[in-house]
Amino acid sequence: QVQLVESGGGLVQAGGSLSLSCAASGGTFSSYSMAWFRQAPGKEREFVAAIRWSDGTTYYADSVKGRFTISRDNAQNTVYLQMNSLKTEDTALYYCAATYRASDLAYAGTYAHWGQGTQVTVSS
């Protein structure tokens, strides 16, 4: 069974940066498309970024384009989300997700495997 464990969340001032990590185990990591979603209290879970397993193509929500970067390491066992120029609106619980699919990657229902989440809080 695929297991995903997020880390790197914390408290940061607006304009600052954080880097999140998602460590994967229990499956053929390179065969999965990976994504980050986030959810704030009282709000729907929303797509943040994804990286497609087949060709490495990346996708970003409009709200984070130019500020966030998704990547995976050389061993393909960890996915990262580099977050720069953070805004208070970025405050949320951030989840890592994995799927064998190569399409509909911005849709939460595409993903069968989820991590436990890591909290990101951006202060004014």
Side-chain angles (χ1 to χ4, degrees), residues 8-71:
L11 176 65
V12 64
Q13 292 184 355
S17 299
L18 281 175
S19 183
L20 306 183
S21 299
C22 175
S25 63
T28 306
F29 184 79
S30 61
S31 297
Y32 288 88
S33 296
M34 306 290 294
W36 291 93
F37 288 77
R38 66 188 182 186
Q39 187 168 23
K43 299 182 69 176
E44 298 288 329
R45 185 170 298 188
E46 65 175 348
F47 171 74
V48 177
I51 183 164
R52 192 165 65 194
W53 66 264
S54 58
D55 59 4
T57 300
T58 56
Y59 303 88
Y60 297 94
D62 288 342
S63 60
V64 306
K65 285 181 179 177
R67 301 189 298 120
F68 291 9
T69 302
I70 188 170
S71 62

Side-chain angles (χ1 to χ4, degrees), residues 13 17 52-53 81-82 92-93 95 102 110-111 113:
Q13 292 184 355
S17 299
R52 192 165 65 194
W53 66 264
L81 185 69
Q82 178 64 46
L93 189 64
Y95 295 93
T110 297
Y111 297 86
H113 307 286

Side-chain angles (χ1 to χ4, degrees), residues 20-24 29 34 71-80:
L20 306 183
S21 299
C22 175
F29 184 79
M34 306 290 294
S71 62
R72 59 201 306 165
D73 69 7
N74 291 334
Q76 298 183 329
N77 64 342
T78 304
V79 172
Y80 302 96

